[in-house]
Structures are given as C-alpha cells and as structure tokens.
Amino acid sequence: CILKGNDLKLSTTARGNSLEELAAHCFEKTAGFVITGRNVKHALQVHEIDVMMWNYPHEDGFNIFQGPWIVECKHWLDQVGANEVRNFLGKLTYMRAEVGIIISPCGITGNAAKKNAAFGVVHGAFLGQNVKILTVKTDELVNISDGKEFSKLLRDKYINVSAYGKF
C-alpha cells in the first residue's frame, strides 16, 4: 500500500482525522444514516469509537440492519492486523452492533480466500456471532459521488460476505 501526496506529510492523528471526516461525509450523504457521535469515548475509557451512527433503513440507502453501526478508521501505512480487528469486534459486541466497517488505505492482513489473519477474525465474527465487519479501502471511496453509490458499495460488500463467503 502506498499513500500519496500530502498523506505522507501528515501525522498519524491528522491522517486518521481526515479519514474520519471522509467516512462521516459518506454516511451523512446516504439516506437513512444519522451520525450519533464522533470520537466517542466509553465512560470507563475502555475504548473509543471513531464514527458511530444509527441506520434507519431507507429504500435509497442501506435498507437492512436498523440500529447502531460503528466505523473504525485506520489511515495507516500498513494493513490493519488481526489484533486491531479483534479489538474492533470487541467494540461492536459491547455496543450490540450487528455491522461495523473498517476503512483503511491498505485493507486488512491475511488472505480473504484462506480466511486467515485479520480476514479470519472477520470470518469468525460473521459465522460465530452474526456480526458483519465490512472492509473498505480508501481508494474505493474516490469515485463515490453520492449516498446511493456509497450504499451500493456497502450492499455489494455485504452480499459478497453473506451470500458468497467473500471477505
């Protein structure tokens, strides 16, 4: 994975904040989603949630999974590893969220077909806990011009995971 341009000049925190802004913008433009919090810290300081929202199913948006959705933004120079994905799964479980999204430039570790490393955590969450973790690479967001396109991207990813076992 290669970050380009100004991304390399920014600190990790600044890169993360810019990715959180992009994620919030995409969801705000998608019918049915309402952002309920950004950088939300648990009362006991157990964890922080980058972007938290509620989905009200809408025909022009993502029309299933009413309830809380959580987004984790990792604007790192490397892939997101299994430990970080497990930590994210812990947040989803704690919040009783059925759907979580990891957005990063480099994706997650492992081989999707072999379902190992971070992909193994995603696979296990789906089969064992019925929690859907969708992964979105930042380059997939480049050509998104409106909420309907973003909803289609998420829907396609969900279908690939649930119907075809493609993570």
Side-chain angles (χ1 to χ4, degrees):
C1 168
I2 299 173
L3 298 181
K4 300 174 187 169
N6 291 331
D7 283 343
L8 294 174
K9 297 176 186 173
L10 299 174
S11 69
T12 303
T13 301
R15 285 194 313 266
N17 289 341
S18 70
L19 190 53
E20 289 170 21
E21 284 291 328
L22 176 61
H25 175 77
C26 288
F27 279 100
E28 287 170 341
K29 297 295 180 193
T30 303
F33 285 104
V34 175
I35 304 293
T36 58
R38 301 256 327 265
N39 297 313
V40 177
K41 292 194 188 318
H42 181 272
L44 300 176
Q45 302 297 314
V46 175
H47 58 251
E48 177 183 278
I49 295 172
D50 293 340
V51 181
M52 189 166 56
M53 69 204 88
W54 193 270
N55 180 36
Y56 297 94
H58 190 282
E59 66 183 45
D60 290 332
F62 202 85
N63 57 5
I64 57 176
F65 302 120
Q66 178 172 332
W69 286 42
I70 298 173
V71 178
E72 185 80 10
C73 298
K74 298 292 188 193
H75 205 322
W76 294 352
L77 300 176
D78 293 310
Q79 293 175 311
V80 178
N83 285 338
E84 290 83 8
V85 175
R86 266 191 290 281
N87 289 340
F88 182 55
L89 175 59
K91 293 178 189 182
L92 293 168
T93 303
Y94 182 83
M95 298 298 295
R96 292 183 169 83
E98 285 186 69
V99 181
I101 300 171
I102 297 174
I103 302 176
S104 71
C106 304
I108 63 176
T109 60
N111 181 300
K114 293 180 180 178
K115 297 173 183 68
N116 61 11
F119 278 108
V121 177
V122 170
H123 179 70
F126 182 72
L127 293 179
Q129 297 173 281
N130 199 29
V131 173
K132 281 65 80 183
I133 299 176
L134 308 178
T135 60
V136 177
K137 289 186 179 179
T138 52
D139 63 358
E140 294 177 291
L141 300 176
V142 171
N143 295 318
I144 299 293
S145 62
D146 62 26
K148 284 185 179 183
E149 288 182 11
F150 184 61
S151 180
K152 182 182 180 326
L153 172 71
L154 296 179
R155 192 175 306 113
D156 290 348
K157 287 184 171 292
Y158 172 73
I159 289 168
N160 279 332
V161 168
S162 63
Y164 307 117
K166 295 180 182 178
F167 294 88

